[in-house]
Amino acid sequence: MLNAFIDDMKSRILIVEDEAAIREMLGYSLMKAGYSCEEAADVEQARTLIHAHKPDLILLDWMLPGMSGIDYARRLRNDTDTQGIPIIMLTAKGEEADKIRGLDTGADDYITKPFSTKELLARLRAVLRRYADEAQQGIIEVEGLVLDPETYRVTARNEIIDISPTEFKLLHFFITHPERVFSRVQLLDQVWGQNVYVEERTVDVHIRRLRKTLEPFSFDKFIQTVRSVGYRFSTH
Ligand code: CA
């Protein structure tokens, strides 16, 4: 049902790729699959297109002339206008794929060239579905802590909290699954996605950051450590 719903909306995909042959191939495949597409050869063109009309998802190549895809992804995530747009990074095989895993860019998924259209469409659908689910859930409020999945904005007692995309995802996952204990591995799968290789201790780093962000409002107590098991969100 949801699949059909997403397809009916004709999601608008922005392809940012400097190699014309790949860009055109992507555009063709996506249009054939029912998406509406726009193409940019560099960050400059991408900016203009995004400014004119916000896309539903950005396919962003890592190696671009001028500003790299990875730097641009970070900019998009730091800009309140664009931080809610899903990003799938395109990387070349080898070194880049390894490097990219270690970087906290806030990209939603990575796909390594060469890839099949089938694989690309599956990843794209998964990311779009996840965002549609989150948007449907709408604004969440727990004891004065408010999350808006559409804008990635968090407010605590009406004060806007400065929060990174990863911390947002982590908090969003916790708040929508209260009272349940999750292991580090489960949190990695749920928040970072199964295709991303992140070490378990990365979870602890982000938990620490999240607590620090919530501390001024005493909401850090909601993020509880369950010794030798993992973490839980609880208001008790
Ligand atoms: Ca390239």
Side-chain angles (χ1 to χ4, degrees), residues 60-177:
L60 181 57
D61 187 31
W62 152 288
M63 289 296 264
L64 291 168
M67 185 184 279
S68 75
I70 211 95
D71 287 337
Y72 188 43
R74 252 188 235 114
R75 293 240 177 140
L76 289 167
R77 282 296 183 246
N78 287 326
D79 184 339
T80 47
D81 275 346
T82 55
Q83 64 187 183
I85 306 173
I87 300 170
I88 298 179
M89 296 288 306
L90 305 175
T91 72
K93 216 182 182 99
E95 227 190 313
E96 291 173 4
D98 291 329
K99 267 198 241 163
I100 210 167
R101 283 176 194 138
L103 296 170
D104 183 21
T105 57
D108 295 279
D109 205 354
Y110 308 106
I111 188 158
T112 309
K113 296 175 197 170
F115 48 81
S116 67
T117 304
K118 203 177 151 195
E119 186 187 1
L120 173 71
L121 291 176
R123 297 279 185 93
L124 212 106
R125 253 182 245 122
V127 171
L128 286 171
R129 195 177 306 138
R130 199 164 75 218
Y131 273 72
D133 283 351
E134 281 175 13
Q136 271 185 338
Q137 282 165 6
I139 292 168
I140 304 151
E141 198 258 312
V142 175
E143 302 200 4
L145 181 64
V146 180
L147 271 76
D148 184 349
E150 209 149 357
T151 58
Y152 267 58
R153 181 168 282 182
V154 178
T155 56
R157 300 195 187 96
N158 299 321
E159 206 175 306
I160 292 171
I161 294 186
D162 188 23
I163 193 164
S164 79
T166 305
E167 268 85 67
F168 181 91
K169 280 193 211 166
L170 191 58
L171 180 59
H172 185 270
F173 178 74
F174 272 134
I175 214 165
T176 51
H177 301 82

Side-chain angles (χ1 to χ4, degrees), residues 183-224:
S183 70
R184 287 168 182 79
V185 173
Q186 285 174 318
L187 289 172
L188 280 177
D189 282 351
Q190 294 292 335
V191 177
W192 279 261
Q194 285 171 340
N195 296 310
V196 182
Y197 297 90
V198 184
E199 286 180 61
E200 280 184 43
R201 64 164 184 261
T202 304
V203 175
D204 299 325
V205 172
H206 285 282
I207 292 275
R208 256 202 311 279
R209 281 192 208 157
L210 180 58
R211 278 181 175 147
K212 219 173 150 190
T213 307
L214 298 174
E215 207 183 340
F217 309 92
S218 307
F219 288 137
D220 54 311
K221 62 175 189 280
F222 293 165
I223 313 291
Q224 301 170 355

